[in-house]
Amino acid sequence: MSLATLGLSPEILRALKDKGYSESTPIQKELIPAIFSRRDILAGAQTGTGKTAGFALPILQELNRNHIENNHYPKAVILVPTRELARQVFMSFKDYGKYLPLRSTVLYGGANMSAQANRLASGMDIIVATSGRLLEHIKQKNISLESVEYLVLDEADTILDMGFLHEVSQILSHLPTRRQNILISATLSGVLKRLSEEILSRPKLIEVDSMGTSAHLVTQIVYPVMSEKKTELLSYLIGSKNYSQVLVFVRKKEEADAVASELNASGLKTVTTHGDKTSGKRTRALQAFKDGTARVLVATDIAARGLDIPTLGVVINYDIPHVTGDYIHRIGRTGRAGKEGLAITLISPSEEVALQSVERLLGKAIPKERLEDYAPVQTLTQKKGGRANKEKKKTDGAFGRKKKNVPKASKKRKTTKRDGWKR
């Protein structure tokens, strides 16, 4: 469906044309009319589906319709979990609203508080913020939210996972009761639905490409590997396949630095982004990755939220994420803007159970590919028919002497009934 058929203004359509956008995505078809209707919304949409434009476009249009010249005060608040996502959403509002007289700003920790306060004092229509930093400005009386008409919680599941619910609740107490609320999440979990019952009033439920469905343009593959050989295999895959731009996910900050150090030592220019990095360092790392100065970006799950690199072709999971649902967020960094993507996952024997959880989430098994120089030893032994194991049973002790035929004492085995799994 053409974006021009969704009731958007000429100014917004002109900005979309500048970006090369003309067709709407499934989430935009549902979300834009729903926001125009002024109903509260609970939307499930995975990353890379165009959800930011889905809420930014109608909010911009409605605020512009009622805009009074030289009268700028916060009318829309968009809360996001990370500074990277805050910057991305802010840039979307700027790009889509560049022919409108509306002002927007972004607030997040790690940036200069005074500079942010000065921008707020000059007057802003739209605030994109992380909850902690917005709360700081509220407490310092740098901002009043009494005129807010729209509240958006983007990636609400991550906001909950990161423990920001208390901060969000405090912000809600400073908002007027009459407003439109929009909760957007990759997964519509039970916890999130309970939260929506507290915030939303008779919401419209929209589910498009939600958590159970991975991006259809992403090819997924698993490589079994011994833990100690993961970095070696990672370097081999990037080099032998000649991947020009690779985003590597790891669970821990310390591991991100260690993996990046080894990749740099192997000749692959690598940068990192994680919670211990300053805002400036994270921004510079991402820019180096985007402009091709760095070939590999190693990131933790939280730090990578909000990364938008439309041309990214390859994502490699160095490990399975702590939260199974984060697997969808990870692979959703590729296969964007209609382009095909590849998601590779390196699995050690201890991660097999975690892999099964991911496959249950996806509703399908992920194909495995074994490289003999890296695959776990037991996998190769089994592949040969387990002869080594059979021979071992015939021998006794370090010198390989044959076991004597000693009669075994008869034992009465206790039989136990195994509990079934509740589903």
Side-chain angles (χ1 to χ4, degrees):
M1 180 186 291
S2 170
L3 285 162
T5 64
L6 294 175
L8 299 171
S9 68
E11 294 86 355
I12 289 177
L13 289 173
R14 181 183 170 195
L16 289 169
K17 186 177 180 182
D18 290 347
K19 295 280 291 180
Y21 301 150
S22 58
E23 296 297 313
S24 61
T25 65
I27 186 63
Q28 290 163 5
K29 292 175 190 175
E30 298 278 347
L31 199 50
I32 292 174
I35 293 177
F36 280 146
S37 73
R38 299 306 297 261
R39 286 187 62 180
D40 280 3
I41 297 165
L42 176 60
Q46 87 178 44
T47 185
T49 57
K51 59 185 174 61
T52 303
F55 63 78
L57 299 178
I59 288 175
L60 283 166
Q61 178 149 319
E62 290 300 287
L63 293 185
N64 183 58
R65 189 196 308 276
N66 302 312
H67 179 66
I68 300 172
E69 192 175 355
N70 298 321
N71 190 354
H72 300 279
Y73 48 88
K75 305 173 207 61
V77 170
I78 293 85
L79 293 179
V80 297
T82 66
R83 66 189 79 172
E84 284 78 15
L85 184 56
R87 284 195 291 261
Q88 179 191 319
V89 172
F90 165 66
M91 287 308 300
S92 294
F93 271 96
K94 279 199 72 174
D95 290 342
Y96 301 145
K98 68 179 184 178
Y99 297 117
L100 304 176
L102 302 172
R103 295 180 186 175
S104 57
T105 191
V106 60
L107 310 173
Y108 52 79
N112 187 283
M113 187 84 174
S114 297
Q116 292 178 352
N118 290 336
R119 290 201 300 274
L120 291 172
S122 69
M124 292 292 159
D125 301 282
I126 300 162
I127 308 293
V128 180
T130 54
S131 55
R133 180 47 61 97
L134 178 58
L135 201 53
E136 286 183 78
H137 282 292
I138 291 172
K139 290 178 178 178
Q140 293 188 18
K141 300 191 184 306
N142 295 330
I143 186 174
S144 169
L145 303 181
E146 61 185 17
S147 298
V148 168
E149 300 172 26
Y150 298 92
L151 171 67
V152 179
L153 267 65
D154 191 15
E155 296 205 0
D157 54 337
T158 307
I159 291 175
L160 291 178
D161 290 341
M162 293 176 69
F164 296 148
L165 180 58
H166 181 63
E167 293 175 349
V168 172
S169 297
Q170 288 182 276
I171 291 169
L172 291 174
S173 68
H174 292 272
L175 294 169
T177 53
R178 291 192 65 183
R179 63 179 188 268
Q180 185 176 15
N181 301 293
I182 303 156
L183 265 66
I184 301 178
S185 172
T187 171
L188 298 182
S189 65
V191 176
L192 187 67
K193 287 182 178 178
R194 284 194 294 275
L195 172 65
S196 72
E197 290 171 4
E198 297 177 19
I199 297 177
L200 308 180
S201 173
R202 297 185 296 108
K204 177 178 176 61
L205 179 63
I206 298 173
E207 289 189 85
V208 178
D209 290 326
S210 57
M211 183 57 81
T213 308
S214 59
H216 68 282
L217 291 174
V218 179
T219 299
Q220 300 173 64
I221 189 166
V222 163
Y223 284 94
V225 58
M226 294 303 294
S227 296
E228 64 272 17
K229 288 193 172 186
K230 276 194 175 186
T231 308
E232 186 184 337
L233 175 56
L234 178 63
S235 177
Y236 170 76
L237 288 172
I238 296 171
S240 64
K241 306 289 186 180
N242 198 27
Y243 297 139
S244 59
Q245 191 182 43
V246 182
L247 174 57
V248 177
F249 281 103
V250 297
R251 282 196 299 255
K252 300 176 181 176
K253 293 175 281 189
E254 303 80 12
E255 201 152 44
D257 291 329
V259 169
S261 178
E262 291 192 47
L263 290 179
N264 275 310
S266 71
L268 296 169
K269 177 62 177 173
T270 304
V271 291
T272 61
T273 179
H274 56 68
D276 284 350
K277 299 281 186 181
T278 64
S279 179
K281 286 182 178 179
R282 287 161 74 164
T283 301
R284 288 191 292 275
L286 180 57
Q287 189 54 48
F289 185 58
K290 282 184 172 181
D291 64 25
T293 307
R295 188 172 176 182
V296 184
L297 174 63
V298 182
T300 53
D301 291 292
I302 297 303
R305 290 296 173 93
L307 292 185
D308 186 20
I309 308 164
T311 58
L312 181 64
V314 183
V315 164
I316 298 181
N317 297 308
Y318 188 83
D319 46 34
I320 293 285
H322 288 300
V323 179
T324 306
D326 282 344
Y327 178 86
I328 300 293
H329 287 288
R330 287 181 174 191
I331 70 171
R333 298 298 119 195
T334 186
R336 298 166 81 92
K339 293 182 173 61
E340 293 184 357
L342 173 65
I344 294 171
T345 303
L346 310 183
I347 293 293
S348 65
S350 64
E351 294 175 295
E352 284 290 346
V353 174
L355 175 62
Q356 290 168 15
S357 296
V358 168
E359 291 178 329
R360 281 197 297 271
L361 178 68
L362 297 173
K364 64 178 182 180
I366 305 173
K368 287 186 178 179
E369 208 170 287
R370 288 179 168 81
L371 298 177
E372 291 206 357
D373 290 339
Y374 301 97
V377 174
Q378 61 265 37
T379 302
L380 297 177
T381 303
Q382 289 166 1
K383 193 172 179 181
K384 292 174 183 176
R387 287 186 57 126
N389 288 335
K390 289 176 185 176
E391 291 296 326
K392 191 174 179 182
K393 288 179 183 176
K394 294 178 184 178
T395 62
D396 178 32
F399 298 98
R401 291 189 295 245
K402 296 254 181 168
K403 282 188 177 181
K404 295 178 181 178
N405 293 322
V406 179
K408 292 182 181 178
S410 61
K411 291 182 181 179
K412 206 167 186 180
R413 281 186 74 180
K414 291 182 180 179
T415 57
T416 58
K417 208 168 195 179
R418 195 174 174 183
D419 291 336
W421 283 58
K422 290 183 180 180
R423 298 194 178 269

